[in-house]
Amino acid sequence: MGSDVKQHVYTRADRARYRRKVRTCLDVFALMLGESQFDFDRPLSGLEVEFNLVDDLGQPTMRNADVLAAIADPAFVTELAQFNVEINVPPRELAGTGLDVFEQDVRAMVNAADGKAHTLGAHLVMVGILPTLRLEHLVKENLSANPRYALIDEQVFAARGEDIAIRIDGENPLSVTADSITPEAACTSAQLHLQVSPAQFGAYWNAAQAIAGAQLAVAANSPFLFGHQLWHETRIPLFKQATDTRPEELKSQGVRPRVWFGERWITSVFDLFEENVRYFPALLPECAEDDPAQVLASGQVPELAELRLHNGTIYRWNRPVYDVSDGLPHLRVENRVLPAGPTVVDIMANGAFWFGLVRTLAEGGLPVWSRMPFSAADENFYTGARHGIDAHLFWPDLGYLTATELVLRKLLGLAHQGLDSWGVAPATRDRLLGIIEQRCLRKRNGASWQIDTVRALEAGGVARPEALSRMLAAYQKHMQANLPVHEWPIDA
């Protein structure tokens, strides 16, 4: 989201030109899928993790510019609000002990960054929604300095024409309004990337959609917002509502939201980019100077800048990515389902589960999406977000069953096969998938630990705000120790 922008004001002519350029890019992309050589011989995996910045009392601190200057590592960049930063981890191969090296590198980078942040009285926290966050923290003045964020805010509200209503049910239902997109900054995630071939992209995206509900169920880590206990993964409805460009009338007409699960299985990556162009108007109508058709005709690889920019403002939970590296185009599935945290090792276990599952489902036997209505995948997604580890999900041939039973009976075995297909070392495979197994056996993930800890504190007479602060302090201690969340004691 943090790419630089060139313009701060857009005219009607800019929008018309941008629409033409996006459609030209789409035509060129269609030609490339049939004619160009995409890079996929050594598929790479990638990772992005978003962090909250807190002070010594666990309250959000608006110092990302100072913290990033102290960290001085180009892998760390700004995110939407001044209490957010993000790390972009260089891509890796999964084979052998690649996931172990991935984990070691991320821990080393995060520990070094956190140490430098400490010199400024700040700390990095990996959690889907910061429990101590309050509505007054999420104001336009706390957007990061990159002008792209202010522009997106301006364009979203120009499209809506009214404030954003955030309505989320749960144990303590929430109803507030916001006059900026800053509530989106409450949503911090861990995003997985997987490079795939054009021919395989449809199968991998369908597989990712099919398992999104199970992913959320076992990895949920966002149960509190503004002191309210809501969904186990409250980040899902919050992100959707905080970036919604539709007033109520357009919602009633069935206009699609920019944060979107989708509505059908696909056969090609082209389906997704074509939907982007057909359904969604531009938010940032900036045009590059090149002509992608001429670039392709000259034997070079076009950047497709407008198509990529447009894609970056449509927030699919599994998003297609087109990119160019070392002169070759490639495609990635970007999995945006997971919350940040609770620990680096938990994130890597979530990654191993996803990488293994999508490999088996995309490349092995009768596709699950041929036996599963898309509506069931959509229902699973929101059920997993709402109920977390206690969710009941649908799976072909098994019907409805608990998420833990589904993972233990079916999905862990498929993930095991997939990691073997990637060539992951057996010890690495067993260690990381063992964490998922133990979460299911103990029914303990980040969300359930947070809820149980706060309930125990409140049962002892501690008021909700203090309970959330104490819970976060314990959370930080366990996070820094890199102890898998299923082993965390209830610190009441």
Side-chain angles (χ1 to χ4, degrees):
M1 177 182 271
S3 300
D4 290 335
V5 291
K6 300 173 186 176
Q7 295 178 229
H8 293 183
V9 177
Y10 302 114
T11 66
R12 286 175 289 182
D14 290 329
R15 293 186 177 279
R17 182 181 177 221
Y18 183 82
R19 179 180 287 112
R20 290 193 298 270
K21 283 290 295 285
V22 168
R23 288 175 175 170
T24 298
C25 285
L26 185 65
D27 292 340
V28 170
F29 183 57
L31 291 173
M32 293 179 67
L33 290 174
E35 300 173 0
S36 297
Q37 178 62 52
F38 282 73
D39 182 15
F40 57 87
D41 289 337
R42 290 191 317 117
L44 299 175
S45 61
L47 175 66
E48 303 169 60
V49 184
E50 297 163 348
F51 297 85
N52 293 277
L53 296 175
V54 300
D55 61 20
D56 292 334
L57 298 177
Q59 299 299 310
T61 182
M62 309 301 162
R63 301 198 63 186
N64 67 354
D66 296 334
V67 167
L68 288 171
I71 292 172
D73 181 342
F76 285 84
V77 296
T78 59
E79 250 299 331
L80 181 60
Q82 294 178 41
F83 62 89
N84 299 143
V85 297
E86 179 180 87
I87 182 174
N88 296 302
V89 185
R92 301 284 196 283
E93 289 190 62
L94 294 171
T97 57
L99 287 169
D100 293 328
V101 176
F102 221 147
E103 179 185 345
Q104 293 161 12
D105 288 351
V106 174
R107 283 201 71 196
M109 295 168 77
V110 172
N111 289 343
D114 198 42
K116 293 176 181 176
H118 284 187
T119 65
L120 301 173
H123 310 270
L124 275 64
V125 179
M126 293 184 295
V127 62
I129 294 176
L130 186 66
T132 54
L133 200 63
R134 299 191 303 275
L135 184 60
E136 55 262 36
H137 294 129
L138 299 177
V139 293
K140 190 178 298 187
E141 292 74 21
N142 288 336
L143 288 172
S144 290
N146 189 323
R148 175 180 172 120
Y149 303 126
L151 274 170
I152 290 177
D153 181 82
E154 177 185 299
Q155 296 300 313
V156 166
F157 279 86
R160 284 184 61 85
E162 59 191 55
D163 287 350
I164 292 173
I166 296 173
R167 307 282 186 266
I168 306 174
D169 57 9
E171 185 166 303
N172 315 121
L174 176 70
S175 178
V176 297
T177 58
D179 62 1
S180 77
I181 63 167
T182 320
E184 179 193 337
C187 308
T188 46
S189 63
Q191 297 156 23
L192 304 171
H193 290 250
L194 183 62
Q195 188 176 327
V196 299
S197 73
Q200 292 178 309
F201 188 96
Y204 272 88
W205 188 85
N206 288 344
Q209 293 285 94
I211 63 170
Q215 267 189 290
L216 280 173
V218 298
N221 194 30
S222 313
F224 293 103
L225 175 63
F226 307 149
H228 294 246
Q229 183 185 326
L230 303 166
W231 294 19
H232 282 229
E233 193 48 49
T234 303
R235 186 179 56 92
I236 299 301
L238 176 60
F239 190 74
K240 182 176 180 178
Q241 294 179 34
T243 56
D244 202 340
T245 57
R246 306 168 302 163
E248 292 300 322
E249 293 81 2
L250 292 186
K251 293 179 187 178
S252 298
Q253 293 172 36
V255 172
R256 294 155 179 87
R258 296 190 88 95
V259 175
W260 197 32
F261 185 74
E263 61 192 17
R264 61 180 177 131
W265 305 117
I266 66 169
T267 58
S268 167
V269 63
F270 184 82
D271 296 344
L272 301 178
F273 283 104
E274 191 273 335
E275 285 181 347
N276 288 355
V277 174
R278 181 154 45 101
Y279 293 148
F280 300 101
L283 273 187
L284 301 176
E286 296 212 357
C287 291
E289 295 303 319
D290 67 334
D291 181 334
Q294 290 182 1
V295 172
L296 183 64
S298 70
Q300 298 176 293
V301 177
E303 295 287 337
L304 304 183
E306 293 82 9
L307 191 70
R308 292 166 64 193
L309 176 59
H310 191 50
N311 186 52
T313 63
I314 298 160
Y315 308 104
R316 295 177 185 271
W317 294 108
N318 286 294
R319 183 157 65 183
V321 176
Y322 167 88
D323 209 346
V324 181
S325 180
D326 297 326
L328 281 177
H330 70 262
L331 297 173
R332 303 193 304 270
V333 178
E334 180 189 10
N335 178 253
R336 302 165 51 82
V337 168
L338 295 168
T343 63
V344 172
V345 72
D346 281 304
I347 289 174
M348 297 314 301
N350 293 337
F353 185 57
W354 186 75
F355 290 130
L357 261 179
V358 294
R359 174 69 183 253
T360 299
L361 292 176
E363 299 192 19
L366 184 65
V368 66
W369 50 94
S370 70
R371 299 173 287 127
M372 183 180 192
F374 191 89
S375 59
D378 182 87
E379 179 187 46
N380 280 352
F381 178 73
Y382 289 104
T383 300
R386 186 185 296 272
H387 299 293
I389 205 80
D390 298 320
H392 284 71
L393 306 176
F394 173 84
W395 196 258
D397 304 324
L398 298 177
Y400 286 91
L401 67 169
T402 64
T404 54
E405 185 180 3
L406 172 60
V407 172
L408 292 169
R409 281 179 55 187
K410 185 73 175 181
L411 301 187
L412 271 177
L414 298 177
H416 187 290
Q417 294 173 32
L419 293 182
D420 285 348
S421 298
W422 288 121
V424 173
T428 302
R429 175 202 66 206
D430 293 346
R431 180 176 69 90
L432 294 176
L433 292 185
I435 289 171
I436 304 298
E437 179 182 41
Q438 287 301 312
R439 278 192 218 154
C440 292
L441 290 172
R442 302 186 189 193
K443 294 191 175 182
R444 168 74 71 229
N445 60 13
S448 66
W449 181 88
Q450 290 187 52
I451 291 168
D452 290 348
T453 299
V454 167
R455 283 177 176 167
L457 288 164
E458 290 180 331
V462 179
R464 174 64 60 88
E466 177 63 19
L468 290 171
S469 294
R470 290 194 196 179
M471 179 269 285
L472 181 61
Y475 183 107
Q476 289 179 259
K477 178 184 68 176
H478 299 316
M479 181 196 78
Q480 291 161 358
N482 203 36
L483 186 71
V485 71
H486 68 266
E487 298 181 17
W488 293 12
I490 301 301
D491 297 306

